[in-house]
C-alpha cells in the first residue's frame, strides 16, 4: 500500500499528518511500501506485563527462574519496526528502514549524511540515534533509533493524503497530546521536556535549559480577537531549569515529575507558543510565584 493510503485505519487518523513549511511530503514518494499501520501499545504496557510476571495472582508460591531479559516485555526490550508494517505513536511513525526511500542518515548535519544507516554508523559508532533528513530539501524529519533499528518520523514533519479535511497537528499540539497521555498513564501533571540526547555530552547541550511544565487545567476553551474561532487549550505553568536540576527531579524517588523527550526545534516551538499565549491572559494571571503561565493549544477536528 502506498503512503497516500496510510489512513486505511479510518478517518480518526487523519489528524496525524501535516505539511508545514519545509516539511517532507510523503505522498510524493510512492515507493514507500506499508502493508499495515497498527497503533503502538500503551506506553506502560511493558511495565504492566513485568509486574504481572513478578506478581502472578494465581501462582504466589512458584518462583520462575527464567530471566525477564529473555522475554519480549522486559526492560531491555524495545518495539522495533517490521518490514511492511508501520506503527503509530502520539508524536511519530515507526518504520523499517527497508520501507523508506529518499532519506539521509547522519550523526551530525545533512551535509555529512549517508543513504544507509549502516554507513552513518560506521562513520560514528558512539551515538544512541542518528538524525534523519529529507534528501530533497535537507529538512530533519526524524530519528533513527539504533537500539530498535527503526526509522522514527515526526508527525508534524510529514504529510499524507487523507480522506477528511481535518487539520494536521503541529509539534506543540503533539506535545499537548503527550501531556494528556502522561496524566492519564501516571497521574502526574508535571513533566520536564528534554531534547533528544545522542549520548555524547557537548558544551552546547550542557548550556541548554529544559522546559518544566505543570498542567494546571487540561481543558480550557477561549476566544480572542487574534483567533478566528474558539480554541481548546491546556493552561500550563512553565519555567526553564538547568539539566542538572532536571536530573535531580527525574531521579528522585519521591518526585512525581515525568520526562518527555522531543527535538530541540519542537521544544523551542512550544516555548514560543507559551510565551505568545501569555499575552492573551490578564496581566495579574501571567505569573504564579516562580512560574510563568501560558496556553498550549490542543488539536481539534474540523467542525
Amino acid at each position: 500500500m502506498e503512503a497516500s493510503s496510510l489512513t486505511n485505519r479510518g478517518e480518526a487518523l487523519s489528524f496525524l499528518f501535516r505539511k508545514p513549511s519545509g516539511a517532507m511530503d510523503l505522498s510524493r514518494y510512492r515507493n514507500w511500501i506499508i502493508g499495515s499501520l497498527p497503533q503502538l501499545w500503551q506506553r506502560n504496557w511493558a511495565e504492566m506485563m513485568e509486574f504481572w510476571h513478578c506478581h502472578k495472582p494465581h501462582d504466589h508460591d512458584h518462583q520462575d527462574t527464567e530471566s525477564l531479559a529473555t522475554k519480549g516485555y522486559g526492560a531491555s526490550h524495545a518495539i522495533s519496526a517490521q518490514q511492511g508494517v508501520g506503527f503509530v505513536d502520539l508524536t511519530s511513525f515507526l518504520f523499517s528502514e527497508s520501507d523508506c526511500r529518499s532519506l539521509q542518515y547522519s550523526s551530525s548535519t545533512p551535509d555529512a549524511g549517508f543513504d544507509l544507516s549502516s554507513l552513518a554508523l560506521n562513520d560514528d559508532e558512539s551515538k544512541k540515534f542518528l538524525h534523519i533528513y529529507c534528501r530533497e530539501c535537507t529538512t530533519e524529519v526524524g530519528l533513527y533509533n539504533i537500539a530498535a533499528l527503526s526509522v522514527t518520523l515526526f508527525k508534524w514533519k510529514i504529510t499524507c493524503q487523507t480522506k477528511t479535511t481535518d487539520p494536521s497537528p503541529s509539534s506543540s499540539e503533539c506535545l499537548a497530546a503527550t501531556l494528556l497521555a502522561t496524566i492519564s498513564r501516571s497521574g502526574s501533571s508535571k513533566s520536564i521536556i528534554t531534547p533528544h540526547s545522542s549520548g555524547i555530552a557537548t558544551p552546547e547541550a550542557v548550556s541548554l535549559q529544559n522546559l518544566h511544565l505543570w498542567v494546571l487545567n487540561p481543558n480550557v476553551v477561549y476566544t480572542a480577537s487574534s483567533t478566528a474561532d474558539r480554541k481548546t487549550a491546556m493552561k500550563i505553568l512553565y519555567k526553564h531549569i538547568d539539566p542538572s536540576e532536571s536530573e535531580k527531579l527525574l531521579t528522585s524517588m519521591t518526585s512525581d515529575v515525568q520526562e518527555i523527550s522531543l527535538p530541540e526545534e519542537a521544544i523551542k516551538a512550544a516555548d514560543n507558543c507559551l510565551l505568545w499565549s501569555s499575552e492573551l491572559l490578564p496581566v495579574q494571571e501571567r505569573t504564579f510565584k516562580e512560574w510563568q503561565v501560558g496556553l498550549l493549544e490542543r488539536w481539534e477536528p474540523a467542525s
Side-chain angles (χ1 to χ4, degrees):
M1 183 176 68
E2 298 173 354
S4 58
S5 303
L6 283 178
T7 53
N8 64 337
R9 285 181 54 84
E11 298 180 356
L13 292 181
S14 62
F15 73 96
L16 299 174
F17 307 99
R18 179 175 190 254
K19 185 181 178 182
S21 176
M24 180 179 179
D25 186 353
L26 291 187
S27 62
R28 294 182 297 170
Y29 298 95
R30 296 188 175 274
N31 46 4
W32 286 65
I33 309 300
I34 303 299
S36 59
L37 195 66
Q39 288 182 313
L40 291 178
W41 298 304
Q42 191 177 5
R43 289 180 181 270
N44 61 342
W45 176 84
E47 297 174 5
M48 178 188 68
M49 291 299 294
E50 186 170 344
F51 178 83
W52 178 87
H53 177 81
C54 296
H55 307 278
K56 294 180 181 178
H58 62 281
D59 198 5
H60 293 288
D61 298 328
H62 177 67
Q63 298 294 328
D64 194 345
T65 58
E66 185 178 4
S67 173
L68 283 175
T70 63
K71 296 188 175 296
Y73 50 82
S76 61
H77 288 75
I79 296 175
S80 59
Q82 306 171 31
Q83 186 173 2
V85 178
F87 291 92
V88 181
D89 199 359
L90 281 173
T91 61
S92 61
F93 296 106
L94 192 69
F95 296 113
S96 170
E97 182 179 354
S98 60
D99 290 327
C100 303
R101 304 291 186 274
S102 303
L103 297 179
Q104 284 193 317
Y105 305 84
S106 173
S107 59
S108 54
T109 63
D111 296 333
F114 297 87
D115 292 338
L116 298 175
S117 63
S118 57
L119 298 177
L121 289 174
N122 291 335
D123 182 61
D124 188 347
E125 298 180 351
S126 58
K127 296 282 188 176
K128 290 183 178 180
F129 64 82
L130 298 173
H131 299 278
I132 297 179
Y133 300 94
C134 172
R135 186 188 301 167
E136 182 175 326
C137 64
T138 68
T139 299
E140 184 175 6
V141 294
L143 299 172
Y144 180 79
N145 189 321
I146 297 175
L149 299 177
S150 302
V151 172
T152 299
L153 298 179
F154 306 133
K155 289 179 180 177
W156 61 90
K157 284 293 188 179
I158 60 178
T159 189
C160 184
Q161 295 177 1
T162 61
K163 297 180 180 179
T164 66
T165 58
D166 287 335
S168 302
S170 64
S171 59
S172 298
E173 289 171 336
C174 286
L175 172 58
T178 304
L179 290 172
L180 286 173
T182 301
I183 294 174
S184 176
R185 181 180 71 252
S186 65
S188 174
S189 59
K190 297 179 181 179
S191 297
I192 294 179
I193 317 302
T194 61
H196 286 131
S197 173
S198 61
I200 298 179
T202 61
E204 294 80 6
V206 173
S207 62
L208 291 176
Q209 288 192 316
N210 296 329
L211 194 59
H212 191 185
L213 304 183
W214 185 357
V215 179
L216 188 62
N217 189 337
N219 189 25
V220 174
V221 180
Y222 72 94
T223 58
S225 57
S226 58
T227 61
D229 200 357
R230 67 176 184 87
K231 297 289 185 180
T232 303
M234 308 175 73
K235 193 171 186 179
I236 302 285
L237 302 181
Y238 70 98
K239 62 181 178 180
H240 301 89
I241 58 177
D242 295 328
S244 58
E245 185 179 353
S246 301
E247 185 69 18
K248 291 179 181 179
L249 289 173
L250 293 171
T251 56
S252 173
M253 295 295 293
T254 59
S255 175
D256 59 349
V257 177
Q258 304 295 312
E259 182 180 17
I260 298 174
S261 294
L262 288 176
E264 290 184 14
E265 180 185 0
I267 297 177
K268 292 178 181 178
D271 194 12
N272 291 334
C273 286
L274 291 169
L275 181 62
W276 172 84
S277 65
S278 64
E279 300 295 327
L280 302 176
L281 301 174
V283 176
Q284 65 273 18
E285 295 186 12
R286 295 178 184 177
T287 59
F288 176 74
K289 296 183 179 180
E290 73 275 17
W291 299 84
Q292 302 293 317
V293 185
L295 300 173
L296 198 61
E297 288 190 10
R298 294 172 50 179
W299 178 88
E300 288 186 294
S303 56

